[in-house]
Amino acid sequence: MKNQPALDAHSIQNTMLLPLWGRAAASEKNPDILYDRQAIEIIKKCDYNFDSIAKAFGGEFSGICYVVRARKIDDAIRAYMQAHPRATIVNIGAGLDTTFSRVDNGMIRWYNLDLPDAIAYRQSFIPDSERNRSIAKSFFDTTWFEDVHFTPEEGIMFVAGGVFYYFREEELREVVAAMARRFPVGELYFDAESKQAVDKSNRMVQKTGNQGAPMYFYVNDASALNSWAPEISVISCLDYFAGIPRNRQWSWQSRLMTRILGRLGMMKFIHLGFSHER
């Protein structure tokens, strides 16, 4: 595709290509978990050499992690939509995420929040539509709160897939606490890793040649997030691979990893609720 905006190869924004490639490469082999048709189509159009990504993340297990993350976020949104069919969904650090194409029920309102260059790159592949709009601002520029239109009765859910790792806990705590005050009926669903797992992930990203996107945030004990603000409470913290079918065609190493990492609490999904009545 012509006229694609350039991305700094040593930036957090550039990491949006990792999950895109992972979903496209792995969903064809794991359609029972997730099939991301839109990601596959974008890869074909993308003017980018994915060799370094494929080399660093080309293992079977890495691909499984990408499709599982997308599947679990899809499932969380669908569960929320059962009670809130006209909900507002805010996709934090959206990058080239394609979740809307899989979960849209024809009624939800969707916002893709990301930095201006990331949104420009996204829109070269996925244009905005009436119910699927972009906000070109930093997550930490809380003026984006005013760009999100919702009604408490219809509900609001925030999701962040593979995003919070790149920020320090004190930065996240401040903004999430502000979100809880501004959107007191909201919920937040995101993935996290333990300190040990984040250290390993940092080494993998560096193998792609990207030296400008170190990961900081980790969660060893999810209950500690209850202390972020009086309005925040942990709804659940679940094993990353909980409920995901193990494919018998996976290597024994991949099957073993999905069990060990969950049991050790190294990879997880965390669900927070916002309320003034805690």
Side-chain angles (χ1 to χ4, degrees):
M1 182 177 287
K2 297 181 179 180
N3 301 320
Q4 292 175 18
L7 287 176
D8 181 353
H10 299 280
S11 66
I12 293 174
Q13 297 93 298
N14 192 61
T15 61
M16 74 171 72
L17 298 172
L18 306 181
L20 174 74
W21 177 87
R23 295 194 313 274
S27 68
E28 291 184 302
K29 299 177 181 178
N30 298 278
D32 55 327
I33 298 177
L34 179 114
Y35 185 72
D36 195 338
R37 185 184 305 277
Q38 192 171 31
I40 293 169
E41 293 172 351
I42 292 172
I43 287 287
K44 293 177 180 177
K45 300 175 183 177
C46 193
D47 182 17
Y48 185 87
N49 186 343
F50 286 88
D51 288 350
S52 62
I53 292 177
K55 183 177 180 180
F57 290 85
E60 178 184 65
F61 181 70
S62 296
I64 292 168
C65 289
Y66 284 123
V67 292
V68 167
R69 182 167 73 197
R71 161 70 180 272
K72 295 299 282 284
I73 291 174
D74 284 8
D75 288 350
I77 293 171
R78 289 189 177 108
Y80 189 79
M81 286 164 47
Q82 287 292 317
H84 306 88
R86 296 183 178 274
T88 294
I89 311 293
V90 180
N91 191 3
I92 299 167
L96 289 170
D97 183 78
T98 54
T99 306
F100 179 81
S101 68
R102 296 187 300 273
V103 304
D104 179 31
N105 65 355
M107 294 182 285
I108 57 172
R109 290 185 299 272
W110 190 281
Y111 293 94
N112 300 292
L113 174 67
D114 215 324
L115 295 169
D117 58 343
I119 289 297
Y121 195 75
R122 173 186 177 82
Q123 290 178 331
S124 68
F125 297 101
I126 311 173
D128 284 4
S129 62
E130 183 179 358
R131 291 183 297 101
N132 183 15
R133 299 181 178 181
S134 297
I135 301 174
K137 293 181 180 179
S138 165
F139 173 63
F140 300 99
D141 174 6
T142 55
T143 62
W144 66 262
F145 290 2
E146 304 307 316
D147 299 317
V148 174
H149 303 287
F150 85 109
T151 62
E153 296 77 17
E154 293 177 344
I156 184 167
M157 184 178 195
F158 304 87
V159 295
V163 177
F164 288 168
Y165 304 100
Y166 299 102
F167 307 109
R168 299 184 187 279
E169 180 175 353
E170 55 269 25
E171 298 175 303
L172 291 170
R173 182 173 60 242
E174 181 177 354
V175 178
V176 174
M179 289 166 59
R181 293 189 294 270
R182 176 65 177 79
F183 305 100
V185 299
E187 297 183 10
L188 170 62
Y189 190 82
F190 64 96
D191 58 319
E193 294 181 349
S194 68
K195 177 64 165 60
Q196 182 181 359
V198 164
D199 290 342
K200 181 178 180 181
S201 293
N202 268 323
R203 291 192 292 271
M204 292 181 68
V205 170
Q206 290 166 6
K207 287 181 181 179
T208 70
N210 188 342
Q211 304 297 317
M215 300 182 192
Y216 301 101
F217 180 63
Y218 62 88
V219 177
N220 285 337
D221 179 7
S223 66
L225 303 182
N226 286 314
S227 67
W228 276 14
E231 298 85 4
I232 295 173
S233 60
V234 177
I235 296 174
S236 67
C237 177
L238 299 176
D239 167 16
Y240 194 95
F241 300 99
I244 297 297
R246 269 67 170 182
N247 190 327
R248 293 183 179 181
Q249 294 183 353
W250 291 350
S251 68
W252 68 266
Q253 293 97 331
S254 293
R255 294 197 302 272
L256 182 63
M257 287 290 284
T258 62
R259 288 177 170 82
I260 290 178
L261 293 178
R263 290 176 182 174
L264 295 179
M266 293 178 70
M267 300 176 69
K268 63 205 77 175
F269 283 93
I270 298 172
H271 193 174
L272 303 182
F274 302 153
S275 173
H276 287 316
E277 300 178 355
R278 178 175 161 186

